[in-house]
Amino acid sequence: MEKTENKKTAGRWKLLAVLAVCASPLIASYFTYYVIKPGPKNNYGSLIDPRQHPMPTLGLQSEEGKVIELSSLKGKWLILQIDDASCAEVCQRKLLEIRQLRLAQGKNMDRIERVWLITDAQAVAEKLKPGIAGTHLLRSDKSKLEKWLPTELGTNLHDHIYLVDPLGNLMMRYPKDADPNKIKKDLSKLLRASAIG
């Protein structure tokens, strides 16, 4: 009789142990969500759903007058800046920042291309060119860019830096007056995690 009682007690404990093991992931998830609370997002830039913003045919024109598409740069991460050729102080600062961002990636810098999409027909000042050597200067129809590239409320294309992945997907937008150190961290993480480009 005592053995039967012991077996019943042992069986109950085993059943409770199995239930505890099965319920532990659910309990842990509730604890994490309601007690610990998830932290802020890991990326600084705003993620963009590329399905809503597929890369259009832009009919870009190089400084030499050759018509090309951004898709010709597939296989590389593209940092896009959009501005007029006059390139005021903020524009110049961003061009310098994206140059530094690329250099800061060290051995991975060759995986990144810098692109300045120029939205007017003016000539780029010769004094700017030495500082932006290696940047693709491509003229674009501003209205086409406005249809493709999303902006934050109260901002325009010139305020943002955009990131396109090596498959040609628009994937990230950085805020107006973005912190280059935070962009650098995003880029470093992406390059480490990505086997493409």
Side-chain angles (χ1 to χ4, degrees):
M1 191 79 171
E2 197 174 320
K3 282 185 181 177
T4 309
E5 225 21 74
N6 286 344
K7 281 185 181 177
K8 281 183 181 176
T9 304
R12 286 186 189 128
W13 280 112
K14 285 180 185 174
L15 180 62
L16 285 172
V18 168
L19 287 172
V21 167
C22 292
S24 61
L26 185 64
I27 293 166
S29 68
Y30 274 96
F31 180 79
T32 302
Y33 189 79
Y34 290 106
V35 179
I36 297 173
K37 303 262 187 215
K41 62 183 182 177
N42 288 333
N43 50 290
Y44 174 56
S46 301
L47 287 172
I48 295 170
D49 184 347
R51 294 168 300 179
Q52 294 178 10
H53 304 277
M55 187 184 288
T57 300
L58 294 168
L60 304 171
Q61 196 169 33
S62 70
E63 288 288 278
E64 297 77 36
K66 183 180 166 189
V67 176
I68 64 170
E69 293 298 330
L70 279 181
S71 56
S72 68
L73 299 173
K74 264 189 184 178
K76 301 275 190 175
W77 291 88
L78 306 181
I79 302 176
L80 307 181
Q81 175 176 334
I82 298 92
D83 220 307
D84 299 330
S86 57
C87 197
E89 188 182 334
V90 174
C91 166
Q92 291 176 38
R93 188 185 74 234
K94 284 199 306 185
L95 285 169
L96 177 63
E97 284 171 358
I98 63 175
R99 179 183 177 195
Q100 297 302 101
L101 285 168
R102 181 178 176 272
L103 290 171
Q105 300 310 315
K107 64 181 181 180
N108 284 320
M109 71 178 184
D110 291 335
R111 298 170 66 189
I112 301 168
E113 292 289 343
R114 296 163 290 144
V115 181
W116 176 12
L117 297 174
I118 302 166
T119 55
D120 62 13
Q122 290 181 39
V124 173
E126 288 299 319
K127 66 177 184 177
L128 285 179
K129 291 185 178 178
I132 57 173
T135 302
H136 296 273
L137 307 182
L138 303 172
R139 300 205 180 258
S140 179
D141 180 336
K142 190 175 182 179
S143 63
K144 287 182 181 178
L145 294 177
E146 287 171 335
K147 286 178 188 169
W148 176 40
L149 301 168
T151 57
E152 289 178 355
L153 191 65
T155 65
N156 61 52
L157 291 175
H158 299 188
D159 294 325
H160 300 289
I161 291 172
Y162 295 88
L163 191 62
V164 175
D165 74 14
L167 299 176
N169 299 311
L170 177 64
M171 62 161 300
M172 201 167 281
R173 176 192 65 220
Y174 289 97
K176 183 176 181 177
D177 302 320
D179 181 339
N181 289 318
K182 292 181 179 178
I183 299 176
K184 179 186 158 200
K185 286 179 187 172
D186 269 8
L187 272 177
S188 298
K189 278 190 259 181
L190 285 167
L191 292 170
R192 271 198 311 271
S194 172
I196 55 172

